[in-house]
Amino acid sequence: MRLRFTTAGESHGRGLVAVVEGLPAGLPVTAEWVDRDLGRRMRGHGRGARMAIEQDRIEWLAGVRAGETLGSPVAMLIANRDWESWQEVMAAEPGDAPRERQVTRPRPGHADLAGVLKYDRTDARDILERASARETAARVAAGALARRLLDEFGVTVGSHVVALGGVVTRAAEPPAALTTADASPVRTLDPDAEAAMIARIDAARASGDTLGGIVEVVATGLLPGLGSHVSWDRKLDGRLAGMLMSIPAVKGVEIGLGFAAAARPGSGVHDPIIAGPAGAAPRRGSNNAGGLEGGMTTGEPLVVRVAMKPISTLMAPLETVDLGSGRPARAETERSDVTAVPALGVIAEAHVALALADAMLEKFGGDSLREMTRNVEGYRSQLAGRWRGAEAAR
Ligand code: EPS
């Protein structure tokens, strides 16, 4: 990987940290740019009380000077405002771990049980603090820097919700601009579905239940040939799917037609290659491939769908076992969200941006933005020259 990132931080600890390494020097960045995506992640009908407490924004810790990256690792801090109420429970220095806020009744579907067994903990808080989807704020901050790099090359990444709680949208045009879906409280482009989704969320909240759904991410402005067919770990579809499957509660990823392609004959799946005017690149008759063939971008929009299960903290809790007594119990009811599907779109965008920026850096390299730009321009003219050459040979 050319673009590496890691995060640290517990949900109710002091804050979250994101470290991004591999960005070229000279990339203009501002905290405002990163904060915009952090703000988008916090919204959405169905979020819980925590989002009214937090006001996620970054503080630069390293790697940026006078509004430009230095080529060194970029470190960002997102403070947890809620830390104020959790300082004692989450204190780092040695001492008796406070008994209040202990979690001993693991929630089915959460990391609680497997985590305490694996890490030999008695309090599932030691697990859930890190397993909490709060950590995705740091991923979104990292993704915002990747998006900034893509932006230099005309690549956009947007998303919208296509299903929530069983309500499915009518086939919609992919979002033309990043912010199109942001106007909707559930980040959907279908107004009828929007009303039905909101009603489902309100009903789920009333009955102590939670909801999952599906988001679609679309990236445009891509050059053909990002990723590679030559080795399994260089295929861009695998890299994208791996990243997207790492988002908490995600259970499925589809590219283009996805699972539906398996039921169609080849003639109904593959996108015809149609000759353009003399000297111009050919175009595709459709984009069922979702912008990827042979593990490489085709130059068509990248279309990826991500499915999220319902959040595992139910206010009407499921059956579990108390870790102390081994006896049957009702699962823990931590404050949580009814759904985070609208936020999932923003988080998935961040991962798609990170995967694409990584693939751009792999192909075009460069220690500075200027060097990378030169390399991109060189490839663009090489591609244009190919079709001009073909015209001459006609
Ligand atoms: C989460 C529980 C809730 C959510 C949280 C994820 O937090 P809390 O336990 O503080 O009420 O709000 O999401 C975020 C804090 C966030 O930033 O997305 C969980 O248990 O996963």
Side-chain angles (χ1 to χ4, degrees):
M1 268 187 113
R2 293 303 181 100
L3 188 65
R4 297 190 296 147
F5 78 99
T6 191
T7 75
E10 278 71 42
S11 180
H12 303 99
R14 183 165 287 228
L16 301 163
V17 174
V19 179
V20 183
E21 186 173 358
L23 289 168
L27 178 69
V29 290
T30 61
E32 190 188 354
W33 172 274
V34 179
D35 293 348
R36 189 183 62 145
D37 275 347
L38 291 180
R40 294 174 64 229
R41 192 200 69 95
M42 295 182 75
R43 292 198 290 270
H45 195 71
R47 298 306 300 272
R50 176 77 184 270
M51 289 303 97
I53 298 169
E54 302 298 339
Q55 263 180 14
D56 291 345
R57 49 180 51 132
I58 59 142
E59 216 177 292
W60 299 114
L61 297 180
V64 175
R65 182 163 179 244
E68 287 191 0
T69 54
L70 299 175
S72 51
V74 176
M76 297 171 284
L77 171 72
I78 304 164
N80 286 327
R81 284 182 141 207
D82 214 15
W83 158 249
E84 191 123 326
S85 318
W86 288 77
Q87 286 185 51
E88 268 117 62
V89 173
M90 294 300 292
E93 286 297 304
D96 284 337
R99 294 196 65 79
E100 81 259 33
R101 318 298 312 234
Q102 265 200 16
V103 176
T104 60
R105 292 168 289 123
R107 291 158 293 176
H110 213 283
D112 300 350
L113 181 57
V116 292
L117 297 176
K118 177 176 167 68
Y119 288 91
D120 193 24
R121 313 308 296 171
T122 50
D123 181 357
R125 178 156 307 284
D126 291 346
I127 306 304
L128 68 90
E129 283 289 331
R130 180 65 183 159
S132 162
R134 170 97 190 121
E135 183 260 344
T136 59
R139 302 190 193 198
V140 168
L145 298 183
R147 189 200 290 285
R148 190 63 272 288
L149 182 65
L150 295 176
D151 187 54
E152 291 285 333
F153 300 104
V155 176
T156 68
V157 184
S159 69
H160 60 130
V161 171
V162 295
L164 200 162
V167 178
V168 179
T169 58
R170 275 173 293 132
E173 288 298 307
L178 167 71
T179 48
T180 319
D182 286 349
S184 159
V186 284
R187 302 198 71 253
T188 186
L189 300 173
D190 177 344
D192 295 335
E194 175 185 291
M197 286 171 181
I198 291 172
R200 286 275 164 102
I201 294 168
D202 293 342
R205 189 190 299 280
S207 61
D209 221 328
T210 57
L211 299 173
I214 302 172
V215 301
E216 183 171 81
V217 183
V218 181
T220 63
L222 292 162
L223 284 162
L226 301 179
S228 176
H229 66 290
V230 298
S231 287
W232 70 269
D233 55 350
R234 291 183 59 191
K235 289 183 173 250
L236 191 56
D237 13 23
R239 288 152 64 177
L240 273 165
M243 274 190 144
L244 292 164
M245 287 293 287
S246 81
I247 299 172
V250 165
K251 286 294 191 184
V253 174
E254 287 187 321
I255 294 170
L257 267 187
F259 275 55
R264 296 193 187 184
S267 56
V269 171
H270 303 298
D271 308 310
I273 303 169
I274 299 164
R283 60 183 182 82
R284 308 307 284 256
S286 51
N287 185 25
N288 291 333
L292 286 168
E293 281 175 343
M296 292 173 279
T297 52
T298 59
E300 295 295 307
L302 179 79
V303 183
V304 187
R305 272 181 304 281
V306 185
M308 181 189 214
K309 69 180 179 178
I311 281 171
S312 49
T313 308
L314 304 189
M315 293 307 148
L318 296 173
E319 196 176 313
T320 190
V321 166
D322 187 275
L323 292 173
S325 67
R327 295 180 63 81
R330 287 283 151 187
E332 189 69 31
T333 52
E334 282 263 317
R335 175 183 66 186
S336 192
D337 307 321
V338 175
T339 188
V341 174
L344 171 66
V346 180
I347 301 157
E349 283 176 24
H351 277 292
V352 169
L354 284 157
L356 290 175
D358 179 45
M360 290 278 291
L361 284 160
E362 179 182 70
K363 177 142 180 63
F364 303 111
D367 295 307
S368 67
L369 182 61
R370 203 139 68 98
E371 187 176 9
M372 186 175 175
T373 305
R374 222 166 40 227
N375 295 343
V376 172
E377 289 315 317
Y379 182 60
R380 271 194 218 281
S381 62
Q382 176 188 319
L383 291 177
R386 162 177 289 262
W387 300 113
R388 276 200 304 274
E391 180 196 8
R394 270 192 189 188

